[in-house]
Amino acid sequence: MNLPELAAFLTSRRARIRPSDVGLPTGPRRRVPGLRREEVAQLAGLSADYYTELERGRSAQPSVQVLAALARALRLGGDERDHLFHLADRPVPRAAHGPTAHVQPALLGLLDRLTTTPAQVITDLHETLVQNELAAALVGRPPAVRGPAASFVHRWFTDPAARAIYPPDDHPHHSRVFVADLQAVAARRGRDTEVARMVAGLRRRSEEFAALWNTHDVALRRTDHKRIMHPALGVIELDCHSLFSEDGRQRLLWFTAPPGTQGAAQLELLSVIGTQDMAASENAFREGTGVNAD
């Protein structure tokens, strides 16, 4: 691993990003161009001390997960992300899914600017890649798992606790929407072994999924009306919108409510409260059951 070159590359990428580019306040008396080290650490979910050691060329070899988080925090393009992995002597992740997936820069740039509405980027298999704080407050953070269980669609049909986010009366609708969407994704990906394994596993484990799959209904989910059961604010009625990446493998989701509605008022309250006062109830409601919705 080339620690000096890795440190220099991180420093150079940090210097080119303005705080406003990533939704951070500029503030007075900034003595360095771009982001501060602690700001990069915050965006990547790392300790400031650990990131400082990386930039000083003294840290142990960062993991694949740390490198993926840094690539997102520093808004690296595809070639830059690959270069980061090469400098760290780590294999470059090629799959566009899972916790190490490289979020499309265009979607990440839009997510940075959605500061007043819950938003997150997911894969076409409904794995959450990155979310803003309002999305975390609304639907919870994704469970720290890999493989099929990282997909909310997979959890929807295999783990009853995953459905706690929606009222029971809405479950049949969401089941139909998820399966029709997965049909479209499977067709788009062609002979993709990941999708084939997921579908085969779900057909074995869920009679509901198997029956819906056999209807052959096909429809990418572009918009949807949702009722989300929030532990502190009750049922929130929202519209969910999707913006697809060019290759269709990632989606930016954001949640809105018409002005003057109860949902709009609840979103406003959510933006004021944030995640701090809801941490205890949210952890009990979602993290204890592995709930995260999209």
Side-chain angles (χ1 to χ4, degrees):
M1 180 172 64
N2 193 332
L3 282 175
E5 284 297 318
L6 175 64
F9 183 64
L10 290 173
T11 303
S12 70
R13 298 307 88 182
R14 172 170 63 87
R16 70 177 183 169
I17 301 177
R18 297 171 300 179
S20 59
D21 292 337
V22 293
L24 294 175
T26 301
R29 298 182 180 179
R30 299 188 70 91
R31 294 178 294 179
V32 296
L35 298 179
R36 299 185 177 100
R37 286 172 175 169
E38 58 267 25
E39 290 170 335
V40 175
Q42 176 187 349
L43 291 170
L46 306 173
S47 73
D49 289 342
Y50 178 83
Y51 180 74
T52 298
E53 290 299 296
L54 275 178
E55 278 206 9
R56 290 175 176 171
R58 302 174 184 171
S59 177
Q61 188 174 28
S63 68
V64 169
Q65 289 73 24
V66 166
L67 294 172
L70 286 172
R72 294 172 190 167
L74 294 169
R75 280 33 182 177
L76 301 186
D79 292 335
E80 292 174 317
R81 187 281 307 260
D82 292 354
H83 185 61
L84 176 68
F85 276 77
H86 289 313
L87 290 176
D89 197 23
R90 291 288 191 179
V92 177
R94 297 297 178 185
H97 58 84
T100 61
H102 184 55
V103 181
Q104 295 292 327
L107 298 185
L108 197 55
L110 287 172
L111 179 65
D112 289 337
R113 286 159 176 76
L114 293 174
T115 57
T116 60
T117 188
Q120 57 189 21
V121 177
I122 68 170
T123 70
D124 56 353
L125 296 184
H126 298 258
E127 301 161 312
T128 301
L129 299 178
V130 62
Q131 59 186 176
N132 62 21
E133 288 302 311
L134 280 177
L138 178 66
V139 300
R141 300 190 186 279
V145 294
R146 293 190 178 188
S151 164
F152 184 69
V153 172
H154 185 275
R155 298 197 304 275
W156 179 263
F157 289 102
T158 60
D159 181 6
R163 302 194 174 197
I165 191 75
Y166 298 126
D169 289 347
D170 298 349
H171 291 179
H173 164 76
H174 291 297
S175 294
R176 290 191 300 270
V177 169
F178 282 140
V179 174
D181 185 86
L182 187 57
Q183 283 273 16
V185 169
R188 279 189 169 191
R189 286 207 188 186
R191 296 180 179 179
D192 185 284
T193 56
E194 181 189 20
V195 178
R197 286 196 299 267
M198 177 179 287
V199 171
L202 288 175
R203 294 185 76 173
R204 288 193 305 269
R205 297 183 61 179
S206 170
E207 293 183 2
E208 180 190 21
F209 178 88
L212 289 171
W213 189 261
N214 289 337
T215 66
H216 300 284
D217 290 339
V218 181
L220 284 172
R221 189 186 69 176
R222 294 180 172 87
T223 62
D224 200 2
H225 186 75
K226 295 176 176 289
R227 294 192 301 160
I228 294 176
M229 297 176 62
H230 192 274
L233 299 179
V235 177
I236 309 175
E237 290 202 34
L238 300 169
D239 295 315
C240 178
H241 309 275
S242 299
L243 178 66
F244 293 73
S245 63
E246 187 175 354
D247 62 5
R249 290 205 169 197
Q250 293 182 10
R251 309 171 185 185
L252 172 65
L253 304 183
W254 70 98
F255 301 86
T256 63
T261 63
Q262 182 179 357
Q266 289 169 305
L267 279 186
E268 183 69 23
L269 181 58
L270 187 70
S271 68
V272 173
I273 298 175
T275 58
Q276 295 181 1
D277 294 339
M278 298 182 182
S281 58
E282 188 175 312
N283 288 341
F285 181 69
R286 295 199 175 91
E287 293 181 2
T289 58
V291 170
N292 175 260
D294 54 59

